[in-house]
Amino acid sequence: MSTETPAESPSPLLSVVVPVHDVGTWLPECLDTIAAQRVDLEVIVVDDHSQDDSLDVARRHAAADPRFRVLEAVERGGAAARDLGVSHAGGRYLVFADGDDLVPRGAYAALVGALESSGDDLAVGDFLKFDARSTWRPSAGFAAFGADRSGATLGDVPSLLRFRAIWHKMFRLDQWRALDMRFPAVPRSNDIVPMTTMLTRASSISVVTDVVYAYRDRPGHGSMTRQAGQLTGTLSYFAQEARCAALVTADGRDAVVDEYFSMVLVNDGWVHLKKLMTQGPLDIDVESGRSLGGSVGAIVDAAPRALVERLGRTQRLLYRIVSAGRADLLWSVPDVPGSTDAVPEEAAEAAASLDRALDLVALLDAPADDATRAAVIDRRVVPHLVRLAGTPSPEAREAAVAASGRLPTERVSPQSAAVLRLARDGRWDDLAELATTLRERRVDVVEFEGADPVVRASGAGALSIVLRHDGGEIAAWVDLEAGRPVTAPLPRRVRRTPGRWSAQIRVPLGDAGVDVPALVSQGAVQRPDGALVPVVVSQADGADSELAFITRSRLARRVAGALVRRGRAQAARLRR
């Protein structure tokens, strides 16, 4: 049951539905901007169980202005609050506003005027977003609001699909009810399905270039924008987007299909996936993984093949992993947001992390996956295997043996194959030595003498260091005695080959020589001229990161220098 203050106007031209939840700080300003609209309107404020003074603010406005009514929602959530407001609406037209936003002067008159003059099914206006520091126009650069339109269809202006928020649109109330529009009770993106439905079903659309809404992008727990990266929000978003994909596919217009799937796979969906990943590895249960996989898989399967093929290699791979129901494997892919090469210290956690890496290797079965598969084995599987095999625990060693048996040696790099053979042969002492090297030995660049790095090793005993290019090439570099700095010029081949060269400690183990990453105990040191830069990659708290050198193309530098000199010469001639 709801409570309300009575309305004096039984049939206004426009009904404004305003759901509110703990927005008392901003609500007075929002309602004032609505009250200032020069349109025959009623304002239905629906309080969704606010714990602050939102309800009192709304009641004060209703007491001072008979156009305002206040309802108290019984069901929780913004979707139910909007639906309740619509059920009490009596206007010819319907519009929505959120209680923390602003409606510019003249906005509703512009939208009503467009519908009155055109007879179109809905009107869409431009909008701004703002926060405490700035104001911006998200629609800039899109054709949607390039000109006023009437009688348009979504096929004429497909980029309207990129703006599916509800608050900058006005509808015919009778059509809204005829379509039985309802907002889904979901934690995220509860307006994109209704708006996709309205846009695809509309026989004609008005576009208003006036700014008709100002959205407040605010921080805090209550802001839906800030919740976008949470797992529940991501699940909700992709579930709603899968429903939208079905609507667009049923619509069938090529321009609409291309616009929609480009927006989701290249922009919005990719942003949601990256936000989820940047939080670092999450415990995604089997049911959630399957649910997310079903939604993402439905979207990818419905998308035009040509568009999917144009996606970046990493995008296609991550969408494929999620579509397989294995979102828990995302963080096992090297060099993606939130991923790390670090091996958990606790044996059980290391074993679970190793299992995920092995599952990912099994999933990477396409020829295009070869490079990624090799990186997962070298940077995820082998370090985990060494850590477990070097642990004096029968359970850990059993996990190492089982893992080594899941990988054929002919599909891995020579050094990884050597580690796998050691595990299969039960050579625990050798593997323990590798684990000790990874755990205790560090190689630091402490300074430069001219162009040559000065290198120092910590730990005990001698080390032989090689450099490995990302392309697989290996170059011998320097032998070090622990604690003694050595000036170590980089080999000519390294200096002349652009790219990333990682330092590796070569550990001789009987007939098997194995290279493990050379880790550092301090931050990066950069040559003064910047021509050759040793950097620590994936640096975490300044330690336990690989030492790598980034070499730059001398030819590129010479070309760039020549272009700069030529530009300066031309500028000098012009001045003369």
Side-chain angles (χ1 to χ4, degrees), residues 73-94:
V74 177
E75 296 182 47
R76 292 185 178 273
R82 283 175 174 163
D83 286 341
L84 178 61
V86 173
S87 71
H88 285 260
R92 182 186 309 168
Y93 304 114
L94 173 68

Side-chain angles (χ1 to χ4, degrees), residues 1 23 50 117 126 135 140 165 239 241 321 325 391 403 459 510 554 566 568:
M1 181 176 295
V23 290
S50 295
S117 62
D126 205 351
T135 301
E241 211 63 272
I321 292 171
T391 301
R554 296 183 177 220
R566 180 180 299 176
R568 289 173 177 171

Side-chain angles (χ1 to χ4, degrees), residues 491-539:
R492 177 178 297 181
R493 184 168 27 152
V494 172
R495 289 185 280 110
R496 292 186 174 182
T497 306
R500 179 181 182 275
W501 290 83
S502 59
Q504 307 273 310
I505 301 173
R506 177 150 289 178
V507 183
L509 299 173
D511 58 348
V514 179
D515 297 340
V516 297
L519 305 182
V520 301
S521 58
Q522 65 180 41
V525 179
Q526 181 171 338
R527 256 182 61 180
D529 62 6
L532 178 66
V533 185
V535 297
V536 179
V537 295
S538 304
Q539 185 165 334

Side-chain angles (χ1 to χ4, degrees), residues 317 367 425 433 514 565 569:
L317 173 61
D425 294 343
E433 184 176 343
V514 179
R565 289 190 295 273

Side-chain angles (χ1 to χ4, degrees), residues 395-408:
E395 294 79 11
R397 290 182 173 180
E398 287 176 8
V401 172
S404 65
R406 292 173 61 180
L407 291 170

Side-chain angles (χ1 to χ4, degrees), residues 134-461:
S134 61
T135 301
W136 63 99
R137 180 174 170 252
S139 60
F142 292 96
F145 302 105
D148 288 326
R149 298 172 182 261
S150 62
T153 68
L154 185 59
D156 299 327
V157 200
S159 58
L160 286 176
L161 276 173
R162 294 182 177 267
F163 310 103
R164 292 173 296 165
I166 195 169
W167 26 250
H168 64 123
K169 300 177 178 70
M170 188 173 288
F171 313 91
R172 293 187 178 277
L173 182 59
D174 57 356
Q175 186 190 37
W176 185 276
R177 287 175 171 161
L179 292 173
D180 194 26
M181 298 302 300
R182 303 277 179 173
F183 292 93
V186 294
R188 173 76 182 160
S189 308
N190 67 20
D191 51 358
I192 64 174
V193 172
M195 292 305 93
T196 303
T197 302
M198 295 298 291
L199 287 168
T200 55
R201 296 278 187 88
S203 58
S204 58
I205 302 171
S206 292
V207 178
V208 175
T209 56
D210 293 351
V211 172
V212 301
Y213 201 80
Y215 176 89
R216 189 188 306 271
D217 189 17
R218 61 183 177 88
H221 178 72
S223 171
M224 292 300 292
T225 301
R226 305 302 174 188
Q227 297 174 16
Q230 301 297 324
L231 176 59
T232 53
T234 304
L235 287 167
S236 175
Y237 165 75
F238 279 109
Q240 299 309 299
E241 211 63 272
R243 295 178 60 189
C244 293
L247 291 168
V248 169
T249 302
D251 179 276
R253 286 172 285 187
D254 289 345
V256 175
V257 170
D258 289 345
E259 187 78 27
Y260 171 79
F261 285 102
S262 175
M263 171 194 68
V264 174
L265 294 180
V266 178
N267 301 117
D268 290 10
W270 183 238
V271 167
H272 276 77
L273 197 57
K274 287 200 299 183
K275 283 183 177 179
L276 177 71
M277 294 175 65
T278 52
Q279 297 179 86
L282 298 178
D283 290 328
I284 300 178
D285 60 271
V286 173
E287 182 179 351
S288 295
R290 289 175 178 169
S291 175
L292 184 58
S295 299
V296 173
I299 296 167
V300 174
D301 289 345
R305 292 302 90 196
L307 171 61
V308 174
E309 292 302 318
R310 288 199 303 270
L311 296 175
R313 185 176 63 85
T314 300
Q315 283 181 305
R316 292 198 305 272
L317 173 61
L318 298 187
Y319 279 135
R320 181 151 59 89
I321 292 171
V322 175
S323 298
R326 295 303 308 268
D328 58 309
L329 304 183
L330 289 173
W331 296 273
S332 296
V333 180
D335 301 324
V336 298
S339 68
T340 175
D341 289 345
V343 181
E345 290 291 338
E346 206 275 323
E349 292 180 7
S353 181
L354 174 59
D355 279 340
R356 287 192 294 270
L358 291 169
D359 286 347
L360 178 59
V361 170
L363 190 62
L364 298 171
D365 56 359
D369 298 333
D370 285 349
T372 303
R373 184 195 300 113
V376 172
I377 294 171
D378 286 345
R379 295 170 54 184
R380 296 285 195 272
V381 175
V382 167
H384 282 68
L385 192 61
V386 170
R387 173 69 60 81
L388 287 171
T391 301
S393 159
E395 294 79 11
R397 290 182 173 180
E398 287 176 8
V401 172
S404 65
R406 292 173 61 180
L407 291 170
T409 56
E410 66 272 10
R411 300 181 64 189
V412 300
S413 66
Q415 69 166 7
S416 294
V419 172
L420 295 177
R421 284 194 296 270
L422 292 174
R424 290 173 183 173
D425 294 343
R427 294 173 59 177
W428 307 120
D429 291 342
D430 289 339
L431 287 169
E433 184 176 343
L434 286 176
T436 300
T437 301
L438 283 168
R439 184 173 60 249
E440 299 180 0
R441 306 307 300 270
R442 297 294 181 266
V443 179
D444 295 316
V445 174
V446 294
E447 62 178 328
F448 272 89
E449 289 186 355
D452 300 326
V454 178
V455 189
R456 181 176 58 206
S458 61

